[in-house]
């Protein structure tokens, strides 16, 4: 089945630094989504990407849908303490059960003030 | 934006009892809802897809008789953990897709189930 490899698993950075994380897939997705999850909460959508090559920003966050349809990255610029949390990528394939979301294993971000 | 309400947020139950978790789409209709399970420090694992008016579709390895799903209306899906055991303790999260809003998936806030 489809699998997502998300890296890095965790990051410890200083406030103000930029952050980059990425996901790669063994197969093609038609949608890439990036979520943030705070402890004890459900994931919250950050950015949705629907087209290969698409580059989308949401404030200090920027994400891109790779042109091969098998990868995506998320960048966070000028990190702040409230960026702390776990970031998940999620991909959606084509139709039927492949239309369900598949999640990466997450990137745990820690920001030191 | 789309809002999904999930209740309860936390529940503690005795081993052998059943627990029902509700997932409601508050401002949109969801013909399909999804139920996930998340263990500590792990990712979300899809348990089943809940279809309004029909049987749920379970992922491989998920016992349909243990995790009963009912999607009786376009805004409500319920997950009942029957005869709960300590190993069922986990974080359960639902999500719903609003097709009229571009198909984005909105997640509930999750339910922390502890079976003692």
């Amino acid at each position: 089945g489809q699998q997502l490899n998300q890296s890095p698993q965790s990051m410890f950075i200083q406030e103000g630094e930029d952050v980059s994380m990425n996901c790669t897939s063994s197969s093609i997705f038609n949608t890439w989504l990036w979520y943030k999850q705070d402890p004890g909460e459900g994931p919250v959508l950050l950015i949705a990407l629907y087209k290969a090559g698409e580059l989308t920003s949401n404030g200090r966050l920027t994400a891109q849908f790779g042109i091969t349809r098998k990868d995506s990255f998320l960048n966070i610029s000028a990190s702040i303490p409230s960026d702390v949390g776990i970031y998940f990528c999620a991909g959606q394939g084509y139709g039927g059960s492949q239309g369900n979301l598949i999640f990466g294993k997450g990137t745990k971000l820690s920001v030191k003030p | 934006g789309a809002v999904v309400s999930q209740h309860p947020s936390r529940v503690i139950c005795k081993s052998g009892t059943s627990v029902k978790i509700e997932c409601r789409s508050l401002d949109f209709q969801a013909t399909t809802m999804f139920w996930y399970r998340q263990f500590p420090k792990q990712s979300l694992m899809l348990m089943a897809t809940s279809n309004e008016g029909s049987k749920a579709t379970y992922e491989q390895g998920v016992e349909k008789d243990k995790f009963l799903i009912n999607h009786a209306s376009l805004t409500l899906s319920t997950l009942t953990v029957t005869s709960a055991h300590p190993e069922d303790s986990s974080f359960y999260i639902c999500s719903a897709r609003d097709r009229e809003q571009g198909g984005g998936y909105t997640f509930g806030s999750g339910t922390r189930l502890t079976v003692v």
Side-chain angles (χ1 to χ4, degrees):
Chain A
Q2 292 175 310
Q3 295 183 349
L4 284 185
N5 295 311
Q6 183 172 351
S7 64
Q9 272 189 317
S10 61
M11 303 181 73
F12 297 85
I13 63 170
Q14 197 77 28
E15 182 177 0
E17 290 183 355
D18 296 341
V19 172
S20 185
M21 59 192 78
N22 70 84
C23 276
T24 59
S25 168
S26 57
S27 55
I28 291 172
F29 285 113
N30 68 348
T31 301
W32 281 97
L33 304 167
W34 284 92
Y35 288 89
K36 182 189 178 195
Q37 185 178 29
D38 291 325
E41 298 288 333
V44 175
L45 181 66
L46 300 174
I47 293 179
L49 303 160
Y50 300 106
K51 187 177 177 182
E54 181 180 356
L55 181 71
T56 298
S57 293
N58 178 7
R60 294 179 294 107
L61 279 61
T62 301
Q64 185 160 31
F65 192 148
I67 57 174
T68 66
R69 294 183 174 271
K70 292 184 178 181
D71 64 299
S72 177
F73 72 73
L74 173 71
N75 288 342
I76 305 173
S77 63
S79 58
I80 59 178
S82 61
D83 289 334
V84 166
I86 301 178
Y87 293 79
F88 290 99
C89 64
Q92 180 188 13
Y94 290 93
S97 62
Q98 293 183 326
N100 297 336
L101 287 184
I102 298 172
F103 282 84
K105 294 186 182 299
T107 297
K108 184 177 181 180
L109 179 63
S110 300
V111 179
K112 187 177 181 181
Chain B
V3 177
V4 173
S5 175
Q6 185 174 343
H7 291 282
S9 58
R10 294 175 181 270
V11 58
I12 300 174
C13 70
K14 291 185 178 181
S15 186
T17 62
S18 296
V19 173
K20 180 185 284 188
I21 303 170
E22 291 189 351
C23 182
R24 293 180 185 273
S25 56
L26 296 187
D27 48 4
F28 66 97
Q29 293 183 333
T31 54
T32 304
M33 292 186 176
F34 305 88
W35 287 95
Y36 295 84
R37 184 172 181 174
Q38 186 179 32
F39 289 107
K41 300 183 179 180
Q42 294 193 21
S43 188
L44 286 75
M45 297 301 297
L46 181 65
M47 298 175 65
T49 302
S50 171
N51 305 298
E52 188 269 334
S54 64
K55 292 182 179 180
T57 304
Y58 290 82
E59 295 300 299
Q60 190 173 8
V62 178
E63 299 176 59
K64 62 180 181 180
D65 294 330
K66 180 168 186 62
F67 299 100
L68 300 179
I69 291 173
N70 184 279
H71 194 151
S73 77
L74 287 171
T75 59
L76 173 64
S77 175
T78 61
L79 169 68
T80 301
V81 183
T82 63
S83 187
H85 289 97
E87 57 265 31
D88 297 325
S89 299
S90 188
F91 193 54
Y92 293 86
I93 310 172
C94 70
S95 78
R97 189 179 185 192
D98 183 1
R99 296 187 181 273
E100 293 185 5
Q101 294 293 328
Y105 295 80
T106 302
F107 285 80
S109 55
T111 298
R112 172 71 61 192
L113 171 63
T114 304
V115 184
V116 297

